[in-house]
Amino acid sequence: RTALRRLGAIPALALTSGFPLIARAADYTLKYGNNLPVTHPLNIRAQEAAERILKESNGRVDIKIFPNNQLGGDTDMLAQVRSGGIDFFTPSALVIATLVPVAAINAVGFAFKDYNQVWSAMDGALGAHVRAAIAQRRLYAFEKMWDNGFRQTTSSKAPVNTAADMEGLKIRVPVSSLPISMFKGLGAAPASLQFSEVYSSLQTKVVDAQENPLPIIQVAKLYEVQKYCSLTNHIWDGYWFIANGRMWEGLPQDLKTIVARGINEAGLAQREDIKKLNASVQSDLEGKGLLFNQPSADSFREQLRSAGFYKEWQGRFGNEAWTLLEQAVGKLA
Ligand code: X2X
């Protein structure tokens, strides 16, 4: 990576050949891929972080962002960040759980009551437990998780008011076993699809429903192909900002400090952006024609309990992780 710059090849060529002096190449040109439209706060704050890191490193670290599934869907990007084809990726907890199963623990249905519970768990012992499991796969997870949000249910068919309304619902969920298990437990007919396929699969009625936080429903324009939005708040979901382990270990300590500070502080700002958006996004989406309803969590929780969902996932996550979750949110089953 640094060979050209050490030889001084680029500036010399630029001067002697009469071309205008070009900026010298960074020591580390790093690729970051994600699955969200450029207008989502995750991309806006990541862009700011990249600019700050370029400046604070005096041009040595240049992070290039590839948003909106430009480099492939989540499954592809997860493979690429493992192989080193890309340097950074922000998988949702549901997505990285295909590699690190315990990472789905924050997505247990109806576990978190509010953001105070979420951030004290994810910035505390539960988040540390998950980060350690991610590190075992030779990926580095930055300390501060970024917010996706509480997931809500949209449909082109009918509002969902109680668990009974889930019966037979053809609903898209991320490619991840926890939401499949959960929606089956609720009696729905879930289908796993990459996020890059969601808009078209709703448009062509491959599925009738999907579930995502309101800011995503807004920036991905899902209101164009959905009629009802039920505020089920069934899963809290966040993004782990991860780096390829070999790349991260090879970065000099001073640059690690600059990059980690830039990314973690941008993550904290991004959480605030989502919080502010949450206050206004519903009325924006109502203006675009989406019809809202606010179900109570009771019938869903009851149905999941009797379907054995909590017991099953307690077994799959193991008692250590489950205890950390229950310490944050109270007894689940
Ligand atoms: O795929 C989704 O639904 C999304 C965008 O929320 C995730 O990244 C899991």
Side-chain angles (χ1 to χ4, degrees):
R1 272 193 183 113
T2 55
L4 271 183
R5 195 182 145 240
R6 282 212 199 90
L7 291 170
I10 292 172
L13 188 72
L15 284 174
T16 56
S17 60
F19 284 106
L21 189 61
I22 55 170
R24 80 176 194 207
D27 293 351
Y28 297 91
T29 300
L30 303 175
K31 287 188 183 172
Y32 161 41
N34 69 62
N35 66 357
L36 291 179
V38 286
T39 47
H40 190 278
L42 173 136
N43 270 311
I44 294 166
R45 293 297 180 178
Q47 185 57 45
E48 281 177 16
E51 284 158 19
R52 177 181 174 190
I53 290 164
L54 184 68
K55 201 160 154 233
E56 291 183 0
S57 69
N58 293 317
R60 292 168 68 201
V61 179
D62 188 1
I63 299 175
K64 304 256 186 257
I65 305 178
F66 298 84
N68 210 18
N69 298 298
Q70 275 172 26
L71 300 179
D74 280 327
T75 306
D76 286 333
M77 286 190 282
L78 188 57
Q80 290 171 47
V81 76
R82 296 183 71 194
S83 70
I86 61 176
D87 302 288
F88 301 105
F89 175 38
T90 39
S92 135
L94 295 168
V95 168
I96 197 172
T98 59
L99 177 67
V100 182
V102 76
I105 186 112
N106 62 259
V108 168
F110 305 94
F112 290 106
K113 197 175 75 221
D114 57 31
Y115 273 108
N116 287 339
Q117 283 188 349
V118 166
W119 297 129
S120 69
M122 302 321 292
D123 290 339
L126 187 63
H129 183 84
V130 173
R131 290 179 72 221
I134 294 173
Q136 283 179 3
R137 305 314 300 251
R138 302 219 59 197
L139 292 167
Y140 174 77
F142 290 92
E143 223 172 291
K144 300 295 177 189
M145 227 180 164
W146 294 41
D147 196 11
N148 189 356
F150 281 90
R151 300 181 76 92
Q152 318 295 358
T153 306
T154 67
S155 172
S156 58
K157 285 266 156 91
V160 172
N161 260 310
T162 67
D165 299 326
M166 288 281 184
E167 189 58 42
L169 184 65
K170 288 201 315 206
I171 185 168
R172 174 272 174 180
V173 297
V175 179
S176 184
S177 51
L178 186 137
I180 287 283
S181 154
M182 185 174 138
F183 280 92
K184 280 190 177 155
L186 291 171
S192 272
L193 291 168
Q194 303 284 328
F195 185 64
S196 46
E197 312 289 334
V198 171
Y199 186 98
S200 64
S201 64
L202 292 167
Q203 191 175 35
T204 58
K205 302 270 161 68
V206 170
V207 288
D208 297 314
Q210 69 84 46
E211 45 81 59
N212 252 299
L214 298 186
I216 285 191
I217 295 166
Q218 185 183 48
V219 297
K221 299 187 174 10
L222 301 183
Y223 53 82
E224 293 176 352
V225 288
Q226 296 281 267
K227 186 79 195 145
Y228 301 97
C229 183
S230 304
L231 298 170
T232 45
N233 288 305
H234 51 278
I235 283 175
W236 176 78
D237 189 19
Y239 288 101
W240 284 108
F241 211 116
I242 60 171
N244 173 273
R246 246 172 303 115
M247 179 284 290
W248 184 251
E249 284 154 28
L251 215 54
Q253 187 53 51
D254 62 323
L255 295 182
K256 275 187 182 156
T257 303
I258 289 167
V259 171
R261 185 171 59 223
I263 287 176
N264 286 324
E265 288 183 8
L268 293 178
Q270 189 268 357
R271 294 178 185 181
E272 289 303 309
D273 296 339
I274 297 285
K275 192 171 162 190
K276 285 201 196 96
L277 258 184
N278 282 338
S280 64
V281 65
Q282 180 174 340
S283 64
D284 177 69
L285 291 171
E286 279 167 345
K288 292 179 159 97
L290 217 50
L291 298 172
F292 280 77
N293 68 299
Q294 173 81 72
S296 146
D298 298 345
S299 70
F300 301 95
R301 236 189 241 121
E302 204 32 62
Q303 173 60 32
L304 288 179
R305 261 188 211 119
S306 63
F309 171 82
Y310 294 106
K311 278 280 165 258
E312 180 191 340
W313 285 86
Q314 176 170 12
R316 287 173 77 160
F317 289 132
N319 279 332
E320 190 187 345
W322 195 261
T323 302
L324 292 172
L325 177 64
E326 287 193 334
Q327 276 166 6
V329 304
K331 267 258 167 268
L332 285 164

